[in-house]
Amino acid sequence: SGTVVYSETWARILGYPLEEVEQTYAFWESRIHPDDKDCVKNILGEHLEGETALFRAEHRLRSKKGSWVWVVGRGAVNLRGDDGSPVRVSGVMIDISVRKAAEKALKDSQAMLEEVSRVARIGGWEHDLESRKAKWTKETYRILDLPEHVEPPGPDEHLDYYPAESRRMLSDAIERSIHEGTHFEVDLECTTATGRSFWAKAVGYPLYEGGQCVKLFGVFQDITERKLAEEALLKNEQRYRFIADNTSDAIWVMGPDLSFTYLSPSTERMYGYSLEEWETLSWDEVVHPDHLPSVVENFESLRSSPHSGSIHSQALLIHKDGQDVWVDYSASPVFNDNGQLEAVVGITRNVTAEKR
């Protein structure tokens, strides 16, 4: 007859009083979301043709207010004619909007987490020590240049990605983690599935059941950029240290309390005091009495004002053997983001010959 009987609960899900619901197939069909309509009609059609034992379709319906409501419809043909054609169908409709909202929130959260992982180059991994299988996140596949459809190497194969020294380090760390229950964190040289070399940080944790370690899990991060930056910084430090150690001028660094934290070797040649002796020397032992007040005032000004600039002056100092040493000195303060003095960096040149 084409008649459809909708229940009061069915109507309420869409925000209608029952008396406003037309008891027709078209009332339901016209409210199906355009993106869901073909799929829902195909599922229903297959069931009506007897191809499936029942039908189940998740879809969106337009409510009385015009918003979309996620529902799941379940039903079955419970009466067929002599020729097998459907005569009567019955079913239920359930509001699944809350579940769909939760699924979307989870999907969005996972998408955000994957994006963070991609930007930070951090992947996750898990080794099942019983099945000897592994699981990787998408980013781990990307870091190691391995297609996602390829099964990741398990506990017995993954060490092939590392050269000998890194393989030994990681193997030892894993053994300690399994037998001692400790986590590990190691920087490793690695080679990807395509042969590309890079640096990685591997972090792992053991999972125990019944007193036995059954799994290892953790994170895997590409730290190549950090390692390259560290190497460049080290080279620069070595280069500057070489310059400081071999220049005739004295290069020095003071802490916030104006005590020396670094003195270049030329300081000893300039004043006669060893670098160790400088640690205990006071201003009045090395600065001529006539120049002591101005020198102290200059350096105190660096410490007292967060906006103070560099100082440049000359002073008469006293060599360890008692001779006068004229020096030209420059000093610059280094402040942190809070305006606090972190260091004073300076250079001193012997100008005694020019003063004569």
Side-chain angles (χ1 to χ4, degrees), residues 211-265:
Q212 295 291 324
C213 183
V214 295
K215 287 183 180 179
L216 290 172
F217 66 94
V219 296
F220 188 77
Q221 182 179 20
D222 184 338
I223 59 170
T224 305
E225 290 185 5
R226 194 199 81 191
K227 280 291 184 179
L228 292 176
E230 289 176 353
E231 290 176 5
L233 180 61
L234 179 60
K235 288 180 180 178
N236 282 336
E237 288 179 348
Q238 291 172 339
R239 186 181 299 115
Y240 293 137
R241 179 59 62 93
F242 176 81
I243 294 172
D245 288 351
N246 291 277
T247 184
S248 59
D249 295 339
I251 298 174
W252 41 267
V253 180
M254 289 177 169
D257 61 350
L258 300 184
S259 63
F260 289 106
T261 58
Y262 170 76
L263 290 163
S264 65

Side-chain angles (χ1 to χ4, degrees), residues 10 13 28 55-61 69-75 91-97 99-100:
W10 190 99
I13 289 174
W28 166 71
F55 71 85
R56 180 186 185 281
E58 294 186 3
H59 56 289
R60 286 160 288 182
L61 293 177
V69 179
W70 271 102
V71 300
V72 57
R74 298 194 189 100
V92 296
M93 185 176 78
I94 301 172
D95 185 345
I96 58 171
S97 300
R99 194 199 83 197
K100 282 293 184 178

